[in-house]
Amino acid sequence: MVPFRSSPRLRAWALSAPAILLVTCFLLLPVFSTLATTFGDPEGPFATYAAYFDSRLRMRVLWRTMEVAVITTVISVIIGFLTAWVVAKTPGRLKSLLIIAAVFPLLTGVVVRSFAWLIILGKNGILNDFLLWIGVITEPLSMLYTEGSVIVAMVYLFVPLMILTLVGVLEGIPQDMTDAAASLGAKPAAAFREVVLPMAVPGLIVGSVLVFTGSFTSYATPQLLGGERQMMMGTFLYQNAMVRFDWVAASTVAAIMVVVTLTTVLLMSRVARKLNPVAG
Amino acid sequence: MNTRTHPLLVAFAVLTFLFLVGPLVIIIGTSLSDTAFLTFPPEGLTLHWYQNIFEISAFRRTIMTSFALAVGGTAISMMIGVPAAYALARYRVELPKFLGNVYVLPILIPEIVLGFSLMKSVAIGAGLPIMTSLLLGHALLVLPYCVRVVGASLNAFDFSIEDAAVSLGCPRWKAFFTIVLPNVKAGIIAGFILAFITSLNDVSVSIFLTGPGVSTLPIQLLAHMEQFFDPTIASVSVLLMFVTVGVMAIVERTLGLTFLTK
């Protein structure tokens, strides 16, 4: 302890060292090693990527994942924004109750929440039972293992996150601002468009990034509700690694996932900073 | 302006909350059904499927493993993360700015990529035993929660109190344990509990690190679902929801649930 007393700098690094070591040894090195294996092909450093982008099957998986992630994000933004708007304006106790109702699913595991949709959308599931009972259909529909079933479950997964992100943001917009707009003659729609929306944009971007990257990299939900037929990047990585034991192919999928998510995060955080009217 | 919220908007929000809560209610209902298949509304009422959880040895084992892993992994992460968070808050000049971002990398890197890479390099490459790899993987996975939540409490702490104790001759380690830690207790409890639930629910890292004989509850649930489709899965899910309720109660008591909207 004696040398520590003399130097705050040394003390600071000594306290940080275990955490830095953990991240370096168990995240940075393993992930770099995964990325490095994709450039080791004897036919040239980018051969594995060329093979990936040449294969219709693999590109189909990438596009499907993009599509599901984008659709999930758009739906979650719409549902999340409108709901958060109502929650933010709800008074006192009821508001806490609504926040609890949003936090509860968020803290319940992905497997449990995806399982719920397996019971609902299955061939003998609750939705089919209900539709048969009211007589809309005569034969049970097969809703599972479609892109739609994956999207429904993903929206279910991410709407709470969106609501919680946006409630915080919308509460932060002072009532004075909209009041000022109204007293200057702005109609409610105009006040919303000119005052509320610009101030909510950074929050909308943060929420969208969380939902997009979360659904782009998800594993359990596409595995349960999409199966083999609706392979997505997460399930494709797992299949390559653990079923076909093709680690180079799995690493290539991993590398594409890392590039897509990091690019999204970096790009959007720049956009958010640019668009923030308060920090301006 | 003070306009009332449009009734259509309120109706929409009501539907959203039904959408959020409904599926969980359905799980609770199916777990009580006196049938060998999953059905809702339940036909007959029984607690048989709850008893069944403990009769299936794979569930018994994986529940133990998952809890041990969540407690152990979080404890390791706290022992590593709290000093790091303390250093970040206390020595702002001495440490580079980007260091705070290094600790959140486990959230930034796709979890499934992390799981796959850990399997390749740590479990197989370095040949670590399954449980050790799982513990380290989970400690890494929850590090962002430990550093960030405790850090939020530390940022609100007035370090001049600690300085006063040190200048009066209190050893630094003692000042940390008797002055700093009790003041950020709420952050540590909330951080612990959020990390715990993250670890308990984890799929993407665990699925690559579990192996013969050692599995976690979510992975066992996934495997069970592919073979059997009986209400046992629903009753395990309800059990996990009880854990969620406990977690929420603790977060509410320490930092308040509104902490999660920030």
Side-chain angles (χ1 to χ4, degrees), chain A residues 1 4 8-21, chain B residues 78-88 90-91 95 99 103 162 172-173 176:
Chain A
M1 291 303 271
F4 286 4
R9 180 180 217 97
L10 193 63
R11 214 157 41 220
W13 282 104
L15 289 167
S16 311
I20 296 172
L21 210 65
Chain B
M78 275 287 172
M79 284 188 272
I80 291 172
V82 173
Y86 171 80
L88 276 182
R90 184 84 164 82
Y91 303 105
L95 291 172
L99 199 57
Y103 305 136
E162 190 196 14
R172 280 201 173 271
W173 63 268
F176 177 77

Side-chain angles (χ1 to χ4, degrees), chain A residues 11 34 83 107 156 179 223, chain B residues 1 16 20 91 117 201 226:
Chain A
R11 214 157 41 220
T34 297
T83 311
L107 292 180
Y156 182 66
D179 286 349
Q223 167 70 20
Chain B
M1 183 166 72
T16 306
L20 289 184
Y91 303 105
S117 305
N201 288 329
E226 278 168 13

